[in-house]
Amino acid sequence: MWRERISGLHNERQQNRLWRNRIVSESGQGPLIWIDGREFLNFCSNDYLGLASRPELAQAAKRAGEQFGVGSGAAHLICGHHALHHQLEERLADWLGAEKALLFSTGYMANLAVAQAFLKSSDLLFQDRLNHASLIDAGRTAPARMVRYQHADANALRSKIERHLSRLDTDAATVHPGLMIATDSVFSMDGDVAPLNELHALARQHQSLLWVDEAHGLGVLGDQGRGALAAHQIAPTENVFLMGTLGKAFGSFGAFVAGDQIWIDHLIQFARTYIYTTALPPMVAATSLAALQLIQHEPQLQSQLKQNIESFRQLLQSKSDRLFSCLKPSLTPIQPLVIGSPEATLAASQHLREQGILVSAIRPPTVPNGESRLRITISATHTTEQIQQLVDALLTSDIESMIDSSGGPHE
Ligand SMILES: *Cc1c(COP(=O)(O)O)cnc(C)c1O
């Protein structure tokens, strides 16, 4: 029974051209990556600042490893909470202007923690339709009612909140629900930025918590790379808390939640994905500390990244109106080129691969049907020539002819 059921699902996924394959890289992360003994130009990593391969990070890991060994040995509440974890939490909180920060092993677990520790069954959790899977899963595993609103549309959110609250008012016996609004700051598959000012105002008006996932904002946007919230002059205090990841622009691994002490205390006491899991190796915390230093002291990384993003967009626009019209209007390192069908997107990715360029094909269920795309990511460490090579390859791969009439320019 099991084998038939599972192979049925596999056949379906293969027939729909949605089957996923892993590539095995033989080098570290960087603008160049080795696969099967061949060098590729890498345009699919989230290592936006090139920190993953910086010697400062490797040295920090090595020193901490030599001094403290590798494993943390236990969960944070047993004896796994090391001085390096503690120091990283303090530095992150200082950097972001939060009272406290709390480390998690991954961003996925941090998001689950927030939903599970805060929400009761009478509560309402509002989520952007295009939020990351970890936020959606967090909402699914929490007892609250989850309501999804139209992407990046604060007015749509306002009407949903009002509709849900007015329904409750008619029944005087109901307890007032706790409200929470969850959003990616920079959307992971689209590269656009949430309307944080409007969401913040709505959250205040309704005494809602605002939970912002800065996985793709930290290190990239805002003064000193403090993220999209900082770029909107919103601090992670009062009703706002920030989830940040350390495996993307930080080039390290792990995640954290930053906010007022009372929220962080609550997570320490009640978040199951914090309590029932082994702490990160202290050497990984040391690595993230080194990354934070670089982000704070090398603002040129951010400006170089911005410049690379602009030159990619300008170059593509100057070479092909058709391709440029399929590029999402993103000002962040995530530059999605919408092709349409999974078949065409896979073929486009394969053509680029044949020319030595690695760009991932993103297909449903990661993105909506008909919106399969090449997710091009730009790094501060790409050279102008490498960006030129990417644009040339996009033109010579004849990707223009693969764009589905159903996909292409849209919205
Ligand atoms: C990558 C990502 C996460 C998960 O972070 P991990 O540390 O990789 O588990 C959460 N949210 C968003 C928006 C992400 O892109």
Side-chain angles (χ1 to χ4, degrees):
M1 182 292 243
W2 278 106
R3 280 184 185 275
E4 280 99 75
R5 184 203 294 185
I6 298 301
S7 43
L9 291 170
H10 291 188
N11 289 340
E12 185 185 321
R13 189 160 260 220
Q14 273 161 342
Q15 273 157 19
N16 294 332
R17 307 283 283 153
L18 297 177
W19 188 257
R20 267 80 164 149
N21 288 302
R22 300 179 301 177
I23 52 175
V24 183
S25 76
E26 294 147 2
S27 60
Q29 286 294 318
L32 299 172
I33 187 168
W34 285 77
I35 298 160
D36 289 337
R38 185 179 163 196
E39 194 179 58
F40 289 85
L41 256 177
N42 182 2
F43 283 99
C44 52
S45 169
N46 299 317
D47 177 28
Y48 304 125
L49 302 175
L51 299 188
S53 56
R54 282 283 291 262
E56 292 90 335
L57 270 65
Q59 276 155 16
K62 180 166 179 274
R63 272 199 305 272
E66 281 167 356
Q67 200 174 352
F68 304 115
V70 176
S72 67
H76 284 279
L77 296 186
I78 307 299
C79 63
H81 189 62
H82 190 270
L84 284 165
H85 298 126
H86 209 71
Q87 191 181 3
L88 176 58
E89 290 178 343
E90 287 174 351
R91 298 262 169 95
L92 287 167
D94 277 354
W95 179 53
L96 296 168
E99 283 181 12
K100 291 278 170 187
L102 184 71
L103 281 181
F104 283 83
S105 295
T106 69
Y108 194 109
M109 288 164 73
N111 279 338
L112 290 187
V114 171
Q116 294 175 357
F118 280 81
L119 294 167
K120 297 196 300 185
S121 59
S122 52
D123 293 338
L124 289 165
L125 169 62
F126 295 91
Q127 295 223 31
D128 188 292
R129 288 202 73 79
L130 295 189
N131 274 351
H132 188 260
S134 59
L135 283 172
I136 303 299
D137 290 359
R140 283 186 184 150
T141 60
R145 168 122 188 232
M146 180 156 67
V147 180
R148 297 176 74 175
Y149 61 89
Q150 212 174 321
H151 174 55
D153 187 341
N155 287 324
L157 171 60
R158 173 181 297 109
S159 2
K160 296 230 169 185
I161 293 177
E162 284 167 2
R163 191 165 348 129
H164 279 273
L165 292 182
S166 68
R167 266 184 217 159
L168 291 167
D169 285 345
T170 58
D171 179 0
T174 6
V175 280
H176 195 78
L179 267 54
M180 192 182 276
I181 301 168
T183 187
D184 283 20
S185 66
V186 173
F187 288 87
S188 57
M189 297 299 140
D190 289 67
D192 57 342
V193 179
L196 292 169
N197 288 328
E198 290 85 345
L199 298 182
H200 188 218
L202 269 176
R204 283 196 151 175
Q205 184 190 337
H206 292 285
Q207 294 173 45
S208 168
L209 288 169
L210 177 62
W211 167 19
V212 181
D213 180 333
E214 286 265 39
H216 300 278
L218 286 189
V220 169
L221 297 176
D223 174 43
Q224 255 194 30
R226 288 189 183 94
L229 276 171
H232 287 76
Q233 330 298 334
I234 303 170
T237 57
E238 298 177 10
N239 62 335
V240 181
F241 48 80
L242 179 161
M243 196 291 292
T245 63
L246 303 169
K248 285 164 180 157
F250 268 74
S252 176
F253 185 77
F256 66 93
V257 174
D260 281 0
Q261 166 133 24
I262 182 170
W263 314 135
I264 300 302
D265 283 346
H266 188 67
L267 290 171
I268 297 174
Q269 299 303 317
F270 294 101
R272 300 174 67 85
T273 59
Y274 183 75
I275 300 167
Y276 299 108
T277 195
T278 302
L280 287 171
M283 63 192 281
V284 172
T287 311
S288 300
L289 278 164
L292 179 56
Q293 282 266 332
L294 293 177
I295 290 173
Q296 288 180 299
H297 295 113
E298 296 188 9
Q300 64 273 24
L301 289 171
Q302 259 184 280
S303 45
Q304 186 61 53
L305 175 59
K306 209 164 162 220
Q307 200 174 313
N308 285 354
I309 296 164
E310 275 163 27
S311 52
F312 166 68
R313 293 187 66 88
Q314 279 169 11
L315 199 57
L316 190 67
Q317 184 170 28
S318 70
K319 295 282 168 95
S320 164
D321 284 341
R322 174 91 175 116
L323 282 184
F324 188 72
S325 71
C326 300
L327 194 64
K328 291 260 187 179
S330 157
L331 301 173
T332 67
I334 302 163
Q335 294 289 318
L337 190 66
V338 178
I339 308 286
S341 74
E343 293 81 2
T345 309
L346 270 184
S349 165
Q350 192 54 40
H351 282 207
L352 290 171
R353 182 102 173 248
E354 282 155 19
Q355 299 186 66
I357 295 191
L358 201 64
V359 173
S360 48
I362 306 287
R363 295 161 286 163
T366 311
V367 291
N369 280 326
E371 288 193 40
S372 289
R373 65 196 64 183
L374 295 173
R375 181 178 181 267
I376 297 165
T377 54
I378 307 287
S379 159
T381 52
H382 285 125
T383 63
T384 314
E385 295 73 55
Q386 289 169 338
I387 291 169
Q388 177 92 48
Q389 280 176 316
L390 167 65
V391 171
D392 288 345
L394 287 169
L395 295 168
T396 57
S397 304
D398 203 23
I399 286 171
E400 292 192 23
S401 72
M402 296 175 189
I403 295 167
D404 295 6
S405 41
S406 63
H410 70 122
E411 279 182 295

